[in-house]
Amino acid sequence: EAGLYPIVCVGESLEQRELGVTMDLISYQVKAALSGVPAEKMRHVVIAYEPIWAIGTGKTATAEQAGEGCEAIARVARSATIQYGGSMNAKNAHELLAQPDVDGGLIGGASLKAPDFVEIVNAANQE
């Protein structure tokens, strides 16, 4: 109502991933976060798949894992913008952004290093 566009972050712990509940958990998190959001507002929503085990650890999901997490989001919220947010950097951005359901990246520390950030921007503009 105030014109803000939220970024909703969803993801799993390493234990949850190892238990094999990642996709169900992400779907549940997205459904719960978007409860009551009218369809016409969905194009203003950004949802980031950010596995908890990758935040600030330097660990990154494989491109396949990132793609699966973003695919789980897309099944529930197709019209939202979907980003990957688990330690995307200059070295892995091309591969992560090449995944079909990854629309962009939620960049943390790599945004503070101009040459690295330029590489990420270039990866986002790949054809």
Side-chain angles (χ1 to χ4, degrees):
E1 292 176 18
L4 299 175
Y5 294 178
I7 299 176
V8 178
C9 296
V10 298
E12 79 286 5
S13 67
L14 186 56
E15 180 182 8
Q16 291 164 329
R17 172 159 280 286
E18 290 171 349
L19 287 172
V21 298
T22 298
M23 299 308 132
D24 291 336
L25 179 63
I26 290 171
S27 294
Y28 172 78
Q29 291 172 337
V30 172
K31 287 175 186 175
L34 300 179
S35 176
V37 176
E40 66 272 8
K41 298 283 186 178
M42 284 302 299
R43 63 186 176 88
H44 299 297
V45 175
V46 175
I47 304 173
Y49 171 52
E50 191 153 9
I52 297 166
W53 52 268
I55 299 172
T57 64
K59 295 179 182 178
T60 304
T62 65
E64 182 180 83
Q65 290 169 325
E68 289 171 350
C70 291
E71 179 184 349
I73 295 167
R75 286 186 208 145
V76 179
R78 176 56 64 188
S79 60
T81 299
I82 302 169
Q83 298 182 339
Y84 175 72
S87 298
M88 185 181 288
N89 58 51
K91 293 178 183 173
N92 62 24
H94 283 280
E95 186 177 22
L96 290 167
L97 291 167
Q99 297 300 305
D101 290 307
V102 178
D103 299 324
L106 182 61
I107 313 304
S111 67
L112 301 176
K113 302 171 188 164
D116 290 351
F117 192 61
V118 167
E119 285 297 317
I120 297 168
V121 170
N122 289 338
N125 290 320
Q126 67 189 352
E127 293 298 317

